[in-house]
Amino acid sequence: MRLRHKPWAKEKIEQHPQYVVAKPESFKGMWHEAFEKDQPLHIEVGTGKGQFITGMAKANPDINYIGIELYDSVIVAALDRLIEADLPNLKLLNVNAAELDKYFTKNDVSRVYLNFSDPWPKYRHEKRRLTYKDFLKLYEDILINGGEIHFKTDNQGLFEYSLMSFSAYGLLLKYVSLDFHNSGYEGNIMTEYEQKFSEQGNRIYRCEVKYQNE
C-alpha cells in the first residue's frame, strides 16, 4: 500500500483521545473500563480506513471493538468514520501490531480479525506475515481460551500459506471458503479493499480458526 503522508494526522489523532486511545497500555487487563459497557472484545489488526470495524460495531452493539492501525496517515480516515458514527462500542489504537502484548493480556480479547493483510510474498519476509507462527502465539497470549481468528484475503498464496500455518500451530479450522462472495454467507461486512477487489472480479478467500486451549 502506497501511503500519502499527512503531516497533520498526528495532531488530529491527539485531539480525539476519546476515539483513539492515547495510552492503551494503561487499559491492559481492564479494557472494559474504556467502554460504556463490559462486553466481549473483538480486535481488527490492520484496520486501514475503518470501513469494516465501523460496520461491525454498528451491526453488533453487544460487542466492543478495537481497530488497530500502525500508520497515522491511514488511521485518520477511520477516525473520521468514528467521529461521524460516534459509536460507544468502538475505539482505535495507533500502535504496532507486533507489540500487542504491551496493550493486552490473557483473556482481554475474544476474537481477532485479519483482513487483507500485506502478503509479504518474499520468503525472507515470512516473519512479517500476520499469520506467521510468532503472530499466532501473540494472539493466543491475549485471547480467551477457545478464542478465534477470522481471516479474509484476495491473495491465494497468502491464504494457502495461512491455512498451513494455522494447521501447523494446532488451530481448529472451523470454516474455509475459497470463493467467499459466492458461498451464500450472510451478514458479511466488507473492507475497502474487499469492495475494490471484488468489483474487479477477484476471488475472496475467508476462514475462521479456533485455538484449542479450552
Side-chain angles (χ1 to χ4, degrees):
M1 179 175 61
R2 186 167 183 165
L3 297 177
R4 175 187 290 181
H5 179 59
K6 299 175 181 177
W8 46 266
K10 185 175 179 62
E11 181 179 357
K12 182 170 183 176
I13 290 167
E14 292 173 349
Q15 290 172 347
H16 294 88
Q18 72 274 37
Y19 298 125
V20 186
V21 181
K23 296 182 179 180
E25 63 276 6
S26 66
F27 289 101
K28 185 176 181 178
M30 302 180 295
W31 276 103
H32 60 281
E33 296 184 2
F35 295 91
E36 290 185 2
K37 296 180 180 179
D38 185 0
Q39 304 178 140
L41 177 61
H42 295 183
I43 68 173
E44 182 186 19
V45 179
T47 206
K49 296 180 180 179
Q51 179 171 304
F52 173 82
I53 201 72
T54 303
M56 291 295 286
K58 287 179 180 177
N60 302 286
D62 56 341
I63 297 171
N64 291 330
Y65 291 90
I66 293 177
I68 298 168
E69 176 57 50
L70 173 61
Y71 300 106
D72 54 15
S73 292
V74 176
I75 202 173
V76 287
L79 173 57
D80 284 338
R81 289 182 186 273
L82 182 48
I83 291 171
E84 181 179 356
D86 194 26
L87 298 165
N89 62 328
L90 174 58
K91 303 289 183 182
L92 300 172
L93 299 189
N94 187 202
V95 300
N96 190 339
E99 299 176 337
L100 285 177
D101 54 352
K102 286 186 177 181
Y103 314 109
F104 302 94
T105 191
K106 187 64 179 174
N107 296 323
D108 271 349
V109 180
S110 297
R111 183 176 298 169
V112 173
Y113 293 100
L114 304 175
N115 293 316
F116 298 86
S117 311
D118 193 324
W120 295 106
K122 295 182 180 179
Y123 178 75
R124 67 175 182 271
H125 293 150
E126 179 187 13
K127 293 183 179 180
R128 299 184 185 183
R129 299 171 192 162
L130 293 181
T131 53
Y132 179 65
K133 62 181 180 180
D134 288 359
F135 277 104
L136 300 184
K137 177 63 168 63
L138 193 58
Y139 308 144
E140 183 177 24
D141 288 344
I142 67 173
L143 280 163
I144 61 172
N145 288 339
E148 296 183 359
I149 298 171
H150 290 196
F151 175 59
K152 279 195 289 190
T153 183
D154 70 312
N155 188 292
Q156 182 178 349
L158 178 62
F159 192 70
E160 292 172 351
Y161 168 86
S162 299
L163 290 179
M164 291 187 292
S165 183
F166 294 147
S167 181
Y169 198 85
L171 292 167
L172 174 66
L173 300 178
K174 290 182 57 183
Y175 174 92
V176 177
S177 177
L178 303 180
D179 191 3
F180 180 53
H181 284 189
N182 289 315
S183 68
Y185 185 95
E186 296 182 359
N188 179 48
I189 292 180
M190 290 198 283
T191 75
E192 297 89 351
Y193 280 124
E194 182 176 359
Q195 189 170 344
K196 174 183 175 181
F197 294 148
S198 62
E199 288 173 355
Q200 294 173 349
N202 293 10
R203 182 180 295 189
I204 305 301
Y205 304 87
R206 185 177 183 273
C207 68
E208 299 175 7
V209 298
K210 180 178 180 179
Y211 285 88
Q212 301 186 81
N213 50 7
E214 293 178 287

